[in-house]
Amino acid sequence: MHTPPLASSDRIIVRIERDFESIVPGFLANRKKDILTLHRALAEKDFRTIQLLGHRMKGDGGGYGFDRISEIGGVMELAAQRQDYAASEQHVKQLETFLACVHIEYL
């Protein structure tokens, strides 16, 4: 599937230290894989998996320079704890949007 280029207004710029340049692509690829797992978990109402992935993102995102991933992970974890399907789905969509729009600039 070909993703059309984003308009510059759709881009989310994240500035990251050049020291992380070799590991950031793998981190983002793993979050994209998480999206697939999260969709399966939503379909199965597997809130435990959603909670675990949200918790992991909450802890890992900021360490890689992605505070927004940490924020989304934190609220996703809480929504899953409450077994709130609608909120969990909303946070998965937020993560998808972020990953689709993020553009890295290395410092």
Side-chain angles (χ1 to χ4, degrees):
M1 176 190 312
H2 175 68
T3 304
L6 297 170
S8 61
S9 62
D10 293 336
R11 287 184 149 186
I12 299 168
I13 306 293
V14 176
R15 291 175 178 84
I16 297 179
E17 295 294 325
R18 189 157 301 280
D19 295 345
F20 292 99
E21 190 170 8
S22 65
I23 61 173
V24 164
F27 175 77
L28 292 175
N30 285 332
R31 299 303 65 80
K32 289 176 183 178
K33 289 178 187 175
D34 287 345
I35 293 292
L36 298 173
T37 303
L38 287 163
H39 279 292
R40 273 193 307 274
L42 282 169
E44 297 170 6
K45 295 189 174 156
D46 178 1
F47 292 105
R48 180 74 179 139
T49 295
I50 298 166
Q51 180 182 347
L52 289 171
L53 288 174
H55 180 78
R56 186 183 320 142
M57 284 185 270
K58 178 178 76 174
D60 291 348
Y64 285 86
F66 296 97
D67 293 335
R68 182 66 182 135
I69 290 177
S70 287
E71 293 167 7
I72 294 168
V75 292
M76 185 183 300
E77 178 184 19
L78 292 174
Q81 285 174 346
R82 294 188 317 269
Q83 297 191 4
D84 184 336
Y85 182 90
S88 296
E89 183 179 44
Q90 176 186 2
H91 301 313
V92 171
K93 287 179 184 176
Q94 289 172 345
L95 179 63
E96 282 182 294
T97 300
F98 178 83
L99 292 173
C101 296
V102 71
H103 176 77
I104 311 304
E105 290 184 359
Y106 294 101
L107 305 174

